[in-house]
Amino acid sequence: MDGRYREVAPPAALGGLIECAWLSTGGPGARVLPDGCMDLLWSAGTLSVAGPDTTAFLTTGAPEWTAGVRFRPGVLPRLLGVPASALRDRREPLDAVAPGVAATLGATLDRGRGSAPDALLAAVLRLDRPHRASRDTTPWALPALAHVTARLPAGTRVDTLADELGWSARSLTRQCTAVYGYGPAMLRRVLRFRAASGLVHAGVAPAEVAARTGYADQPHLTREFRALAGLTPAALRT
């Protein structure tokens, strides 16, 4: 990472729901890679939500800065009360998606102090629904989300995973689409790509990346990088 982007760890109370808060001052043309997550964004006085991506998203415009809170895969739709599939590959104003959440966050940010990511994290912390979600006993309680996001990229078959959760394969596919924004097959691709891209950035050779993350071979890895990132592994590294 360079000086145009930094991350802030969430408070312990939100660690099971949020990966990080972040601040970008990179301007237009940044390449946002699909990672299975959804983000709340705050820029130029406006709150918005970034849905789950299936391909790389290139930023446009030139805001002075954008702050964000990146929620763990499958978490944010529960807070918003909107299926993730409705936001797939989209950025939308938060007040058009979840007016109540937008009003609560906006009021807190108006009173906030400190840096942009810290203020946004503090605003999220004041929301009541994330804490209720962490105690949820529905099939998509946090342990179930963690189980799915760990098992799918490891190569677990959909019917096997459905059995582990006590569902049918059809129910798992339908609920994945609502919670993650896409079905198990696409979710597997995105999460596997995320693991692979992290290794590529760390300098691991593509052939080893392919072997360690479950791709058939290096050409398979390259094809997936082109499809999901629009770049080869070598180009992404640079």
Side-chain angles (χ1 to χ4, degrees):
M1 294 180 188
D2 58 29
R4 298 179 302 169
Y5 177 87
R6 69 179 178 90
E7 294 183 354
V8 177
L14 295 180
L17 303 170
I18 290 172
E19 291 194 356
C20 67
W22 53 267
L23 177 68
S24 173
T25 56
R31 186 180 298 266
V32 181
L33 302 179
D35 57 8
C37 298
M38 293 175 61
D39 292 50
L40 289 178
L41 310 176
W42 182 33
S43 182
T46 300
L47 286 161
S48 57
V49 57
D53 292 323
T54 58
T55 58
F57 178 83
L58 298 179
T59 61
T60 59
E64 181 180 354
W65 53 263
T66 299
V69 171
R70 181 167 302 125
F71 286 77
R72 296 188 182 279
V75 170
L76 187 53
R78 294 143 51 97
L79 169 63
L80 301 180
V82 175
S85 55
L87 296 166
R88 185 171 52 235
D89 294 318
R90 295 169 58 186
R91 272 69 178 156
E92 297 289 345
L94 184 59
D95 57 5
V97 174
V101 174
T104 301
L105 286 178
T108 305
L109 288 170
D110 287 342
R111 299 191 300 269
R113 296 290 186 271
S115 70
D118 288 338
L120 188 54
L121 267 177
V124 171
L125 186 61
R126 291 179 63 87
L127 291 172
D128 181 52
R129 291 184 66 182
H131 301 285
R132 294 211 307 270
S134 69
R135 300 190 298 269
D136 196 0
T137 57
T138 66
W140 285 112
L142 296 182
L145 290 173
H147 187 76
V148 171
T149 54
R151 295 283 280 156
L152 271 179
T156 304
R157 289 168 50 97
V158 172
D159 54 356
T160 300
L161 182 57
D163 286 342
E164 292 171 355
L165 294 169
W167 303 338
S168 68
R170 180 176 295 181
S171 293
L172 176 61
T173 297
R174 183 179 65 252
Q175 294 199 45
C176 270
T177 301
V179 172
Y180 293 99
Y182 20 66
M186 188 66 198
L187 179 61
R188 186 198 309 278
R189 290 180 64 195
V190 168
L191 295 177
R192 183 174 286 172
F193 164 78
R194 184 183 191 186
S197 62
L199 293 176
V200 166
H201 279 300
V204 179
E208 184 178 349
V209 172
R212 287 170 59 176
T213 52
Y215 291 95
D217 49 29
Q218 186 174 336
H220 182 203
L221 174 78
T222 299
R223 289 194 300 272
E224 284 291 271
F225 268 61
R226 283 178 172 148
L228 296 175
L231 298 171
T232 65
L236 183 64
R237 179 178 296 166
T238 59

